[in-house]
Each structure stands twice: as C-alpha cells, then as structure tokens.
C-alpha cells in the first residue's frame, strides 16, 4: 500500500468497486487508478510516471481507453512520486508516499484544463513551460492555422504572428511566398532574408519534407534573446515546426482530403477588338493589315483555365508505454489557372521512438522523403513572358492562321503569341529530397540527460527545358534543349547535455551545453545546352541528336563545401515562476568567411517578472496573469553563402582563342580569368536586438494578449562594391559595409468573446508596426551616396532605376520623376530638379532626365494586421481570417506599360480605361513617375470555412468532419492593379512589373476523420 509520510491537501479516493471485485485479478498490482477531467469524464492516453525518490527507478505508463492505469514491480519500502501529464491539461503530481506489499491502493486524479493553448513552447534544443518564457515566442497550433491550398507550411502563418510578414503576391502553384520577420535586415536576397527553419529538431531542414496536415504546431522565435541559441543563422528569426507523433495507449488512422477549384479573381480590362479598332481609327493611328484578320481574341481567357487541385493525407499514429510511432503519406496536385503551370508533390514520413534500460534510454528514428514535379511557362524579359503577352497581344489577331500554324509577327520587337509561348516551350522540374534523422537520449542521473542527433539530407534537382523549332524564344535554332542536374547534401551532428532540477519546490533550474557540426555540399551539378535538332519529336530526351553543343551553356554549377562548428549553452532559472532569467551563448565557426574572421560569438540574456504573483497586483483584482519581459541578444546571418564568397576564384571566360600546337594544329581554347577577389576580412552580418514585452490575462482568462516593443540593428552588411583594378584584379569586392535599423511595436490579443455551453466565439487580433531604415552604406574604405535598384526599362527609360538604397531611408524607397500634368499639346510633363540641391527649379519638361528623379514614396507598410474569428454552435463551426496591410506604396509599372497610348498604337494592346484616363497625344503616358505610384493599402477576407462535425454511432469512425472553404473572398483596396499584395521581400519590394500571375479565388471542399 502507499502510506502517506506527509499530509496532502488533495482528493484521494479508494475505488471500492475496483478493489472488491477484482482483487484476485490484480494481485500483483501495487498502484492502480483512474484519471478524469473537470467534468468527470475519464481521460485516455494520459502519461503517468512513477519516480522513485532517492532511487533510480522511473516507470511510465498511460491510461487506457477507459481512463485506467496500473503499476507493477515497484520497489518495496521505497518512496515515490507520481506525475500525470496530457496535452491540453495542467500537469499534476502526487508525492510523499512509500510502497508497501500486498496493500494496493486506487487513486483518482482530476486534471485541470490548461488555461493556455499549449502548456509548453519549443525554444530550440528543448521546451519550456509557457509560464516560464522570457522571450518573444509565438505558438500557432495546427487547428488555429490558416486554411487553403498551401504548398508551403509558411502560408499557414500569414496574419497569425505579429511582426511576421508573409507576402503571397500571386497564385502560381510553383511560387514561394516572401517572408520577413520584424523587417528586412540584410542587403542580400533569397535565403539570407528569410527566417531559419527547424523541423522536429533538425536545423535547416527542407520545408518540402512537411505536409501542412502533418504539422502539430509551429513556434516562431521572434526576438534575439530567443534566437541567439541558433547563432549565425538566426538574424531573421527562427521558425520551429513540430509534426504530429504517436501517443502511448492510442492508435488512430487519420485522413484529411480536399478538392479545390480555382478561378481568376480579377482581370486587367484590356481593349477588345471593337474598342481597339475604334481607338486606332478615331485617333489617326494605323495598324498593319496583316494584324487585323477580323478576330476578337480575349488572350487572357485563352491562356487561362479552371484550376483543379486535390490533396490527400493519410497518417497512422499510435504506440504503447515503451514505443510510439507515426507514419504518413501526403499527395497534392495543384493545377494553376494558367495553362502549363502545375505542381505535384508526394511526401512520406515515418517515425519510431522507443525506450529501454529502465526508461532511461530514449531512441528515435525518422525518415522523410518528398518528390516534387513542376511545370511552368516562360516568364522571360523582352516580351517573352506569358504573363506579359496575355495582355499586350492584339485582340484583332487570331490564335492560329487558317493553315493551323500559330499567328506570329516575328518582325515585331518583344512580341510573341502567348499560346505559342505555352505550347512550344517546355519547362519541367523534378525535386527529390530525402532526410534521415536519428536521436538518442540517455538520462545519466535524475535530471541529467545526454542527447545526440544525427541527420542527413540529400536533395536532387533536375530541370529539363525544350524550345521547339517554332518557339519565339529560340528563333532559327531548329529546337533547343537545356538539361540540368544538381545535388545538395547536408549532414548535421548535434550533441548536448541537459540538466533540469527543482529545488525546495520553488527554485527551477535548467542548463544546456552542446556541440554542433555541420557540412553542406551544395551545387554539385552540370548543365548541357544543345540545339539544331532534326525534329521536335524527342523533345529534351535525347540531346545526342542535336547538331550544336553550346560551349558556354554548361551552367554555373560548382561544388561548394561549407562547414560549421559550434558550441552553445543556455541557463534558465525560475523562482516560483515569478522571477525568471535566461542566458544563452553560442560560438560559431564557418568556412564561408575570410580567414581572419571565421569565428564569432552570439550572446543573449532575458528576464521576466510575473507581477500577478505580487500581492499589490493581486489585490487590484484585475489581472489573472501579468508578466513583464526584457531581453537583449545578438545573432548572425550566414545563410545564402557559398564556399567561394571570400575566396579568390578563377574560371573560364566566354572568350576563345586559337591555340596552335607544335604540329601546327589549331584548336579553340577558352581563356581563364579572375571571377572574384579574395577578402580575408569578410565576416558575419551581426544583428542585435532589444525587446521589451508584456503578457497579460484578464477577465478570468477570457482576454489574453501581449505587447512587444523592439529595436533591431544589423551591422557589417555584406554587399558587392566597385573597387579599383589598380589594387584588385577583379573590379568588384564582397565586403562588410553598412547598417540597417528596424524599430517596431506589436500587439497580440485573443478573446473568448462568447463562451456558452453550445455557442462559442473566439477572436484574435495581431497588429504590427515596423519602421525600416538603412542607416549607412559606406565606411572609411567604401563610399557610396546611394545604391540604385529596379531598372524596369520601357521606351525612353533605358538605364533608369526606380528605387534607391539611401542612408536614412527605408529599403525599397521609390525614386522617380514627378508628374506635373500636361502641356498645351496634351503631352505629359514632369518637374525639373536642380542637379545639386535636388529641389524643383519651377520648370517642367517633356524629356525628364536622371537628375529629375526624387524621393516619391516607400513600399514599407506602416501597419499590418490579422484578425481571426472562430464561431461554433454545437457541431457547426464558422472560422474566418482578415488580413491587411496599410500605408505602403506600389509602383504599378504594369499599368504604365499598358497605358502607352502612342507607342503601342497599332502594335500592342492597351488598357480599356485609357480612353478615359489618357490623352491620345501623350507620347509620355507610360513614363514611370509618381503618377503610377499607388496606394497599396488593403484589407482582405483571406478565408472563410464552414465545418460540421457529423455525429456518428455504431461505426468505428471518429471526429468525422466535412468543411467548405473560400479563399480570397474579397479585398478592399484602391490599388488599380490585379492585386495589392505585391512582394514585400528582397531589396525591391512594392514593384508590380508585368510578370504577375493572376490572383485566384479558391473554393475548397474537404473531409477528415479518424479510425
């Protein structure tokens, strides 16, 4: 029996029914009992751990389907404590008992539902209780994430996390969203601008390995005191993805599937044939007779289709006391609304975890694989883009001639039939990713655990392109083929010691010390470019049939081997969960940087004070929870580098010379040249951040939220600078120059607005404001007044840039001409500016110059928000999400391009609206000026989902749910383009320039259930 050695103020019940009727059957049981929730319902799958006091035995079991549990073979005359834990419930502990033989006792425990969404959050290399968090961390559970046809888990977070900006500027199934956290903090693009991803403890894992249906939760580490544990990869924040795993005592087969229908939400209204003929004839323009063959072709409709997508996800989760497992298979097929664009992906995941050596050893292994196949259409410059041609091609021309050939005007510059661009050009990609991950954990002593993680990820990318003999993109080449194959490999080893101990019931201490080794072998591949085929029958499958091999077409694929070694540590201390402290440090060494600067240290410290535990706050009777947080940390940015960034590189040039051998034979050889200067002093970009936060809960936890204020500063920015060839061999040097600052405030609020028995309404609001500023782009060695970006071209605008990086201004600041109206001839005029002062001279001109460009706006939003609502009545639920962005400007270069009423007349189509907005004498109508700088603010109802949980009886199906979702329901905006959600990532945000895939409205119908 369990004899109390210390009195307990807890309800312990003896189950007479269990003891009297079943005493013989349970003769060997020493402890048995049941676990219930607050309503008295028995809870299955609750983990129950028996821990021997002053001993080594630790035994874990779980409640069965009836909520019952039992223990056998516990050490007699030994003290024990029993820990009860379950997801969604507060953990409970019974302690102070000694096991005695032949006197079993049954226990009854009622677990209280957790007042927060998740009791623990992932902080990197471990978890911490939500109430003990000292940093800025946001957790999004799968059931609270966005709903839609998603090809990237990041899309599930749009509008859900304060400070996290996710811009999906089109509905191309092959596109990836641009992501930034608390503002851009680098001058490099791609991976260098995005957060760092950790999936199930594997740093840097590919998102292609995770299906949205397999995700249990996503933790976003937002400030540097949280991200510094990842050191040189965490300058842009860290996103930690946790997938669903099997639980003890539970086995389930789960299915989730949907069918989605996509339709273009909005079109550009181009002129139809009748409007175009009137526009040409009424204004004295002319059109070549060979253009107007009496057709009335809507080229937008001709290249579009109804996009049909489907997704199916099957998973098996389960396990026993010692072993848990999970297996899942996901397949998705997403057909875009533009013909020739589609994406298909299959993902398989398998996980197994078991315990041994008296539960002190935990070993797990998982293997994940994905295959992604994509078809895309041409989106090149010089008019060789389907997304451009579908608007500019003349409506008076047919798709095909009477003989069945494509209607083309090969003598016209930047002009190609959009249907022929789709049908006569093939662009197919296949991406295979496989990852294996093994983890071993051994509890050396009570509270002291050694962990080892080993992971291997291999990625193989293959691309095949074929331009037929009729292709306008490969004229007179009799067919052209491009084949490329690239392989990346990533190996990571992590080892750490973790210690956790609670002293005197109030002092909670945890410490972590670890070592990390990582090697990346990237860009190991080649390319073959061939042309002049006998026919197009074999497409790209047999390049050996070509007559011409392009000696300059082997691609820029060079094996790049990068290694990184790190040591790290973290200490967390909590006194009675009232006074909290966390300190971390990481030391990273990387071969990507110069020989003089390959090591850097990234420290952080944060603290919190739970004011609600103080008597003077409790006596106010306002706050259920109130916590103040403060943190400072430093992190780095080593993402997006290859092994040659700081090295001197020599390679083959594009020039050949005739080499004459001793025998007099002549053969062409390529010359060698220097391609990159070395910079032994190249070092890390370093981001430091100060974060102040307040977490609060009022009205009996009906209203919870957090308020954050931060300042982020990135120094030693890496950029390419022009240098003198009297000192350097190559005219460009990659160097550390400049600083960027971001300041912001963020508010997150969640409310149980209505919490009745049958009707509930939960609502959440996320509001963020960030101010971005380029502090400097020069130092003692490199001097620049500004860096020009965004050369968008256009007639009369060659070599003119529309954005600048300027000290004191945000990234992407627009620098354009100022429109001043029309002169007496009906031609657009622009303000003249003084070349020295930059101010207006009072004059206007029809031929503006580069000196006349001035600051005209910023693409950086002043405010972003997400507003989610979840309403339920019995088994019926309605959820929705509003997303908005306010205060940013968009340069609508697409509208400018299609407003060239004089230059396009008789040559290309124009917007139907130009009959009201433009003067037919305006030869400058298309000039990029502040006239085309538009208000990009918008509020979008991102999705609405109506779901019904079908009550089922007498069949094994559980949680049967059907739902219907509409994405992109409506958008409120003054923007005149197709959609105001223009990309906000990179160095050139806020640009809408003719390469825009249409935004769609999606209708989804789905089903999920468990067996």
């Amino acid at each position: 029996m369990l004899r109390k050695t210390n009195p307990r103020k807890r309800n312990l019940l003896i189950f007479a029914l269990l003891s009297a009727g079943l005493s013989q059957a349970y003769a060997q049981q020493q402890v048995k009992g049941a676990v219930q929730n607050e309503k008295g319902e028995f809870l299955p799958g609750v983990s129950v751990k028996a821990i021997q006091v002053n001993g080594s035995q630790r035994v874990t079991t779980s409640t069965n389907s009836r909520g019952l549990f039992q223990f056998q073979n516990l050490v007699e005359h030994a003290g024990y404590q029993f820990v009860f834990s379950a997801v969604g419930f507060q953990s409970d502990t019974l302690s102070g008992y000694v096991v005695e033989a032949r006197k079993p006792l049954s226990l009854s425990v009622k677990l209280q539902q957790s007042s927060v969404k998740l009791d623990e959050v992932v902080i990197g290399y471990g978890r911490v209780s939500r109430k003990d968090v000292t940093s800025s961390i946001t957790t999004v559970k799968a059931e609270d994430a966005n709903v839609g046809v998603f090809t990237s888990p990041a899309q599930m977070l749009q509008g859900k996390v304060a400070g996290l900006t996710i811009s999906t500027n089109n509905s191309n199934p092959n596109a990836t969203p641009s992501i930034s956290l608390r503002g851009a903090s680098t001058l490099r693009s791609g991976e260098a601008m995005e957060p760092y991803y950790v999936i199930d403890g594997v740093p840097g894992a590919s998102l292609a390995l995770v299906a949205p249906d397999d995700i249990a939760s996503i933790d976003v580490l937002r400030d540097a005191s949280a991200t510094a544990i990842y050191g040189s990869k965490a300058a842009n924040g860290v996103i930690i993805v946790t997938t669903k795993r099997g639980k003890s005592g539970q086995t389930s087969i789960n299915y989730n599937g949907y069918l989605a229908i996509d339709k273009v939400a909005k079109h550009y209204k181009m002129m139809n044939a009748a409007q175009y003929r009137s526009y040409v004839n009424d204004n004295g323009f002319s059109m070549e007779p060979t253009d107007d063959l009496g057709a009335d072709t809507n080229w937008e409709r001709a290249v579009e289709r109804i996009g049909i997508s489907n997704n199916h996800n099957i998973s098996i989760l389960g396990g026993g006391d010692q072993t848990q497992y999970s297996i899942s298979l996901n397949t998705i097929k997403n057909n875009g609304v533009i013909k020739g664009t589609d994406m298909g992906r299959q993902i398989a995941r398998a996980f197994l975890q078991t315990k041994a050596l008296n539960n002190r050893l935990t070993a797990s292994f998982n293997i994940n694989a994905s295959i992604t196949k994509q078809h895309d259409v041409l989106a090149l410059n010089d008019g060789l883009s389907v997304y451009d041609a579908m608007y500019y091609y003349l409506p008076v021309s047919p798709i095909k001639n009477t003989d069945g050939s494509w209607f083309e005007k090969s003598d016209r510059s930047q002009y190609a039939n959009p249907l022929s661009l789709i049908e006569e050009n093939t662009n197919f990609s296949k991406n295979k990713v496989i990852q294996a991950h093994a983890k071993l954990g051994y509890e050396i002593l009570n509270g002291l655990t050694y962990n080892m993680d080993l992971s291997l990820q291999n990625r193989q990318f293959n691309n095949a392109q074929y331009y037929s003999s009729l292709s306008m993109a490969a004229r007179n080449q009799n067919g052209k083929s491009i084949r490329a194959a690239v392989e990346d490999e990533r190996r990571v080893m992590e080892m750490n010691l973790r210690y956790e101990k609670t002293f005197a019931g109030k002092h909670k201490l945890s410490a972590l010390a670890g070592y990390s080794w990582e090697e990346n072998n990237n860009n190991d591949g080649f390319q073959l470019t061939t042309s002049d085929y006998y026919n197009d029958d074999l497409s790209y499958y047999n390049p050996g049939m070509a007559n011409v091999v392009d000696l300059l077409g082997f691609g820029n694929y060079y094996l790049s081997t990068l290694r990184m070694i790190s040591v790290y540590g973290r200490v967390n201390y909590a006194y009675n969960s009232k006074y909290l402290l966390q300190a971390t440090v990481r030391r990273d060494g990387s071969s990507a940087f110069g020989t003089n600067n390959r090591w850097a240290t990234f420290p952080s410290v944060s603290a919190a004070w739970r004011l609600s535990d103080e008597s003077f706050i409790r006596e106010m009777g306002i706050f259920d929870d109130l916590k103040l947080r403060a943190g400072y940390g430093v992190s780095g940015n080593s993402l997006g580098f290859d092994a040659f960034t700081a090295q001197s590189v020599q390679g083959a040039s594009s020039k050949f010379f005739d080499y004459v051998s001793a025998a007099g034979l002549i053969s062409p050889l390529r010359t060698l040249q220097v391609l990159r200067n070395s910079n032994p002093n190249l070092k890390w970009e370093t981001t430091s951040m100060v974060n102040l936060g307040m977490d609060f809960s009022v009205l009996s936890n009906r209203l919870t939220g957090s308020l954050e204020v931060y300042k982020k500063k990135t120094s030693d920015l890496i950029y390419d600078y022009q240098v003198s060839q009297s000192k350097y061999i190559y005219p460009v040097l990659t160097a550390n120059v400049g600083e960027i600052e971001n300041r912001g405030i963020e508010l997150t609020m969640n409310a149980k607005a209505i919490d009745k028995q049958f009707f509930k309404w939960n609502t959440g609001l996320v509001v963020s404001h960030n101010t971005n500023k380029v502090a400097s782009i020069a130092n003692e060695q490199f001097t620049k007044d500004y860096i020009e970006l965004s050369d968008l071209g256009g007639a009369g605008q060659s070599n003119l840039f529309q954005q600048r990086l300027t000290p004191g201004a945000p990234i992407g600041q627009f620098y354009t001409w100022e429109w001043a109206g029309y002169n007496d001839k009906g031609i657009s005029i622009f303000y003249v500016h003084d070349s020295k002062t930059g101010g207006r001279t009072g004059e206007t001109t029809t031929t503006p110059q580069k000196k006349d460009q001035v600051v005209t706006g910023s693409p950086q939003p002043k405010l972003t928000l997400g507003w989610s609502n979840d309403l339920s009545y019995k088994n019926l639920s309605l959820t929705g999400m509003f997303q908005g962005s306010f205060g940013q400007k968009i340069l609508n270069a697409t509208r400018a391009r299609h407003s060239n009423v004089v230059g396009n007349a008789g040559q290309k189509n124009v917007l139907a609206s130009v009959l009201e907005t433009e003067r037919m004498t305006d030869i400058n109508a298309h000039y990029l000026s502040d006239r085309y700088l538009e208000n990009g603010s918008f509020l979008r109802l991102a999705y609405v989902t109506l779901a019904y949980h079908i009550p089922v009886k007498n069949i094994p199906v559980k949680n049967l749910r059907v739902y219907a979702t509409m994405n992109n329901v409506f958008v409120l905006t003054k923007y005149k383009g197709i959609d105001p959600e223009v990309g906000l990532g990179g160095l050139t945000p806020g640009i809408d320039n003719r390469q825009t895939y249409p935004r769609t409205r999606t209708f989804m119908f789905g089903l999920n259930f468990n067996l």
Side-chain angles (χ1 to χ4, degrees), residues 533-820:
Y533 287 80
Y534 293 101
N535 56 52
D536 298 319
D537 294 344
L538 294 176
S539 183
Y540 49 70
Y541 287 108
N542 193 347
M545 293 293 291
N547 292 295
V548 175
V549 176
D550 186 353
L551 297 180
L552 300 177
F554 293 104
N556 294 318
Y557 299 107
Y558 311 101
L559 175 62
S560 170
T561 299
L562 284 176
R563 295 184 181 90
M564 178 175 287
I565 296 175
S566 309
V567 291
Y568 53 87
R570 178 177 60 218
V571 175
N572 290 76
Y573 171 75
Y575 174 73
N576 206 25
S577 292
K578 183 194 296 188
Y579 307 112
L580 311 167
L581 178 68
Q582 175 180 285
T584 69
V585 64
R586 183 167 179 131
R587 177 79 169 163
D588 282 341
S590 172
S591 61
F593 298 99
T595 54
N596 297 335
N597 287 297
R598 288 189 167 175
W599 288 88
T601 302
F602 304 99
S604 78
V605 62
S606 58
W609 178 19
R610 176 160 281 101
L611 286 166
S612 54
D613 284 355
E614 301 291 353
S615 59
F616 66 91
I617 295 294
R618 288 199 306 268
E619 292 170 359
M620 295 172 61
I622 299 175
F623 295 98
D624 301 305
D625 189 30
L626 179 63
K627 181 170 66 174
L628 296 182
R629 294 180 281 103
Y632 171 80
V634 179
S635 53
N637 193 343
S638 64
L639 301 177
F641 288 104
D642 58 38
F644 312 112
T645 303
Q647 308 295 320
S648 176
V649 177
Q650 298 183 12
S653 73
S654 60
K655 298 179 181 179
F656 290 79
F657 70 96
D658 290 333
Y659 173 75
V660 181
S661 68
L665 298 176
I666 299 177
S667 57
L669 295 181
R670 294 179 70 173
T671 60
L672 297 178
Q673 66 179 20
V674 175
L675 303 178
R676 182 186 292 272
N677 290 314
S678 67
N679 185 356
N681 296 316
L682 188 70
K683 59 184 178 180
W684 319 78
E685 293 179 336
T686 302
T687 296
S688 60
M689 186 187 301
V690 176
N691 190 91
L692 302 177
M694 178 180 69
D695 302 324
F696 59 88
S697 176
V698 297
L699 303 176
S700 299
N701 294 317
R702 293 281 295 273
L703 177 64
T704 62
S706 65
L707 180 67
E708 310 275 349
V709 180
Y710 64 87
K711 178 182 178 182
K712 182 171 72 167
K713 181 178 180 180
T714 304
S715 55
D716 296 319
L717 297 175
I718 296 175
Y719 199 72
D720 291 338
Y721 282 78
Q722 296 291 325
V723 292
S724 172
Q725 287 187 272
S726 62
K727 183 177 181 180
Y728 296 92
I729 301 177
Y730 192 68
V732 174
L733 178 69
T734 302
N736 298 98
V737 182
E739 295 181 349
I740 291 177
E741 292 183 359
N742 287 276
R743 299 170 183 248
I745 183 170
E746 301 163 349
L747 175 66
T748 301
M749 296 183 67
N750 294 283
K752 296 179 181 179
I754 300 176
D755 191 15
K756 302 295 185 181
Q757 181 179 1
F758 295 114
F759 181 60
K760 301 180 185 297
W761 174 26
N762 297 323
T763 184
L765 181 67
V766 170
V767 183
S768 308
H769 165 73
N770 182 77
T771 301
N772 174 267
K773 183 178 72 173
V774 179
S776 68
I777 54 172
N779 60 15
E780 298 81 3
Q781 184 179 0
F782 303 100
T783 302
K784 272 184 179 291
D785 295 328
Y786 55 83
I787 297 173
E788 292 185 312
L789 301 166
S790 299
D791 182 2
L792 305 183
Q797 302 169 91
S798 300
N799 299 318
L800 285 172
F801 298 82
Q802 305 303 318
Q803 291 178 306
R804 284 186 179 181
L805 284 176
T806 306
I811 289 177
Q813 178 177 255
F814 292 111
Y815 210 80
T816 70
W817 292 323
E818 290 182 301
W819 189 64

Side-chain angles (χ1 to χ4, degrees), residues 267-344:
H267 292 88
Y268 277 115
K269 294 183 178 179
M270 309 300 292
M271 285 188 178
N272 60 29
Q275 290 173 319
Y276 196 83
R277 292 186 184 102
S278 298
Y279 153 67
V280 171
N281 295 330
D282 296 348
N283 294 285
F285 300 128
S286 61
M287 187 165 39
E288 294 181 17
T290 53
D291 277 313
D292 190 353
L293 300 184
D296 185 5
T297 306
N298 186 323
W299 292 99
E300 294 175 74
R301 304 288 184 181
V303 302
E304 292 172 0
R305 65 186 178 189
I306 300 295
I308 305 295
S309 304
N310 63 83
N311 177 84
H312 305 278
N313 194 93
I314 300 174
S315 62
I316 304 174
L317 309 175
D321 296 341
Q322 301 297 113
T323 303
Q324 296 84 44
Y325 59 87
S326 64
I327 304 171
S328 68
L329 180 65
N330 177 265
T331 179
I332 182 173
K333 179 66 174 180
N334 188 351
N335 293 303
V337 293
I338 298 296
K339 297 174 181 177
T341 60
D342 60 66
M343 189 279 289

